[in-house]
């Protein structure tokens, strides 16, 4: 078996790690470890939204709609993705947030892969959870 090959299923693997398939956060020996790029398979129920805007963005991002209806909020602009394959790209320095208007699946590619952008998540009692 070749340790530099990983075969998986995006839906199953994403469920284990908040959607993230590839990036700096994987162990160094894992073929999915990368400091160059991050890939996320995001499955979002209706009304799901980022809890706070990403500010001071250092990455470029590509977000592609696989299914559903998904809105990306950018400074002074709201982008609605509603047909399979619709996508938006934003660069370094562009703050953003998002909301799933319907149950949605999106593929996000960001580069480079850098730590420090996890939104603080809360449990039902309002206490912070470990953001990963």
């Amino acid at each position: 078996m070749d340790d530099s090959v990983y075969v998986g299923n995006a839906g199953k693997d994403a469920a284990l790690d908040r959607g993230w398939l590839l990036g700096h956060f994987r162990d160094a020996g894992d073929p999915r470890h990368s400091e160059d790029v991050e890939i996320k398979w995001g499955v979002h129920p209706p009304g799901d939204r980022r809890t706070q805007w990403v500010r001071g963005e250092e990455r470029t991002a590509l977000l592609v709609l696989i299914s559903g209806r998904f809105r990306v909020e950018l400074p002074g602009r709201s982008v609605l993705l509603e047909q399979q394959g619709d996508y938006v790209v934003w660069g370094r320095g562009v703050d953003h947030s998002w909301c799933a208007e319907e149950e949605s699946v999106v593929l996000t590619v960001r580069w480079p892969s850098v730590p420090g952008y996890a939104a603080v998540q809360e449990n039902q009692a309002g206490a912070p959870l470990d953001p990963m």
Side-chain angles (χ1 to χ4, degrees), residues 75-107:
R77 185 169 185 187
S78 182
V79 177
L80 179 61
L81 307 175
E82 52 189 336
Q83 294 183 3
Q84 184 179 53
D86 284 354
Y87 68 95
V88 59
V89 177
W90 63 92
R92 293 178 181 199
V94 178
D95 298 341
H96 70 279
S97 191
W98 52 260
C99 176
E101 294 191 354
E102 297 176 353
E103 183 172 334
S104 300
V105 176
V106 296
L107 178 72

Side-chain angles (χ1 to χ4, degrees), residues 49-121:
R49 64 182 54 246
R50 193 166 205 301
T51 58
Q52 53 191 301
W53 277 64
V54 172
R55 306 242 183 242
E57 181 64 79
E58 296 179 22
R59 304 161 298 185
T60 299
L62 161 71
L63 188 143
V64 181
L65 181 69
I66 306 299
S67 63
R69 186 176 163 102
F70 198 83
R71 185 173 299 277
V72 177
E73 299 291 342
L74 305 163
R77 185 169 185 187
S78 182
V79 177
L80 179 61
L81 307 175
E82 52 189 336
Q83 294 183 3
Q84 184 179 53
D86 284 354
Y87 68 95
V88 59
V89 177
W90 63 92
R92 293 178 181 199
V94 178
D95 298 341
H96 70 279
S97 191
W98 52 260
C99 176
E101 294 191 354
E102 297 176 353
E103 183 172 334
S104 300
V105 176
V106 296
L107 178 72
T108 304
V109 180
R110 301 189 304 206
W111 60 96
S113 180
V114 294
Y117 287 93
V120 175
Q121 297 182 358

Side-chain angles (χ1 to χ4, degrees), residues 5-22 25-26 30 32 39-43 132:
V5 174
Y6 180 90
V7 177
N9 175 278
K12 291 177 183 176
D13 289 355
L16 302 174
D17 214 352
R18 292 187 18 242
W20 293 105
L21 302 174
L22 188 143
F25 36 80
R26 296 285 181 206
D30 188 325
R32 298 170 297 163
I39 298 177
K40 181 175 186 177
W41 183 261
V43 178
M132 180 180 106

